[in-house]
């Protein structure tokens, strides 16, 4: 067992601290409880647990886990409910600011800062799409150029329509998620651009582009962002 101490000096027990309350963090925490781990704590910086699926107001989610076709928010809610039902301690609005040796974590909440010392720490902070600079795309990051995660957040969480006729760079599965997100807000993408020679996602999705009235341009070399407006 390890200790969790706040500034008040009150101590709790914690076997495993999981940083991140998205799909992976919730699934891990639930399974640890099923395996008999006594105290499992999730530390989630957002005000709600559930992760990126909360931003994905479209199908398909949940078929494998729940044998039902769910939209992202409903899927995230079920994952949270499953974790709580198994006794997982979920702490939202809690940001981990530093990881020290021996499982000691600095955390910050709206009530101030404190530390957690866990027997084991697992980082389930998810992944983010590569930035423009990471992909060596020259030019500025001007307004109207968004990652899929940012698009989903604007559309599903804030109800903002950031553009009307975008192009989508990339043809992986997440690119088709971007198309669905656009359609939710009445946005009509006009084309999908792919640096590789062909569609990256399953070929069965190719007709979806035709139905959506989108052209696929593959084999794009050295993409650049031109202009500053």
């Amino acid at each position: 067992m390890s200790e969790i101490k706040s500034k008040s000096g009150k101590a709790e027990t914690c076997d495993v601290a999981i940083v991140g309350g998205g799909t992976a963090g919730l699934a891990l925490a639930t399974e640890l409880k099923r395996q008999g781990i006594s105290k499992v704590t999730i530390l989630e910086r957002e005000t709600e647990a559930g992760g990126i699926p909360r931003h994905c107001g479209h199908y398909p989610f949940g078929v494998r886990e729940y044998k039902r076709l769910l939209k992202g928010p409903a899927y995230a809610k079920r994952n949270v409910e499953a974790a709580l039902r198994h006794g997982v301690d979920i702490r939202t609005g809690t940001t981990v600011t530093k990881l020290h040796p021996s499982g000691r974590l600095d955390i910050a909440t709206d009530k101030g800062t404190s530390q957690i010392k866990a027997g084991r720490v697992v980082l389930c902070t998810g992944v983010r799409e590569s930035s423009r600079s990471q992909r060596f795309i020259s030019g500025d990051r001007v307004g109207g150029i968004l990652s899929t995660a940012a698009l989903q957040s604007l559309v599903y969480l804030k109800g903002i329509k950031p553009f009307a006729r975008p192009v989508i760079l990339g043809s992986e599965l997440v690119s088709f998620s971007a198309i669905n997100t656009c359609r939710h807000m009445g946005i009509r993408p006009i084309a999908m651009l792919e640096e590789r020679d062909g569609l990256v996602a399953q070929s069965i999705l190719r007709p979806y582009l035709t139905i959506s009235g989108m052209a696929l341009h593959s084999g794009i070399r050295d993409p650049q962002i031109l202009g500053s407006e």
Side-chain angles (χ1 to χ4, degrees):
M1 290 290 182
S2 301
E3 290 187 342
I4 299 179
K5 291 186 178 181
S6 64
K7 285 186 174 180
S8 65
K10 184 179 179 180
E12 305 173 62
T13 59
C14 178
D15 295 306
V16 181
I18 298 174
V19 184
T23 304
L26 291 166
L28 172 62
T30 302
E31 183 60 25
L32 288 174
K33 292 295 292 185
R34 288 195 187 106
Q35 296 294 328
I37 304 300
S38 179
K39 184 65 179 291
V40 180
T41 299
I42 288 178
L43 307 172
E44 168 57 49
R45 67 180 179 180
E46 295 197 24
T47 56
E48 292 183 43
I52 292 298
R54 293 193 305 113
H55 308 178
C56 303
H58 55 73
Y59 303 104
F61 291 88
V63 175
R64 181 176 58 186
E65 299 94 329
Y66 302 112
K67 305 299 184 292
R68 292 190 61 183
L69 196 61
L70 302 170
K71 290 186 177 180
Y75 171 74
K77 182 179 179 181
R78 284 203 171 208
N79 290 339
V80 171
E81 290 173 345
L84 292 173
R85 190 165 56 249
H86 283 82
V88 176
D89 176 24
I90 301 177
R91 303 187 183 190
T92 56
T94 303
T95 300
V96 175
T97 58
K98 193 168 185 178
L99 172 58
H100 300 276
S102 302
R104 185 164 52 89
L105 302 168
D106 291 346
I107 64 171
T109 69
D110 58 1
K111 297 180 180 179
T113 60
S114 59
Q115 286 192 339
I116 292 178
K117 189 175 185 304
R120 294 289 186 273
V121 177
V122 184
L123 303 181
C124 292
T125 50
V127 297
R128 286 291 183 266
E129 294 148 296
S130 299
S131 67
R132 173 196 57 74
S133 58
Q134 286 174 319
R135 297 192 58 182
F136 302 105
I137 298 177
S138 62
D140 295 325
R141 174 71 177 270
V142 297
I145 299 177
L146 303 173
S147 68
T148 303
L151 171 66
Q152 291 171 334
S153 178
L154 288 173
V155 170
Y156 291 123
L157 300 186
K158 300 178 181 178
I160 294 175
K161 183 178 180 179
F163 36 54
R165 300 279 284 166
V167 296
I168 295 176
L169 177 60
S171 63
E172 297 184 23
L173 192 59
V174 69
S175 303
F176 288 84
S177 178
I179 296 173
N180 285 333
T181 301
C182 286
R183 294 184 67 178
H184 178 82
M185 189 57 74
I187 300 168
R188 296 183 59 193
I190 59 175
M192 179 175 285
L193 312 181
E194 173 54 53
E195 294 172 275
R196 302 184 190 181
D197 295 321
L199 193 69
V200 174
Q202 298 93 327
S203 58
I204 194 174
L205 294 173
R206 181 64 183 267
Y208 185 75
L209 296 178
T210 303
I211 294 172
S212 302
M214 293 178 59
L216 172 65
H217 301 286
S218 59
I220 300 297
R221 305 294 181 233
D222 300 321
Q224 300 179 39
I225 298 170
L226 304 177
S228 60
E229 297 298 328

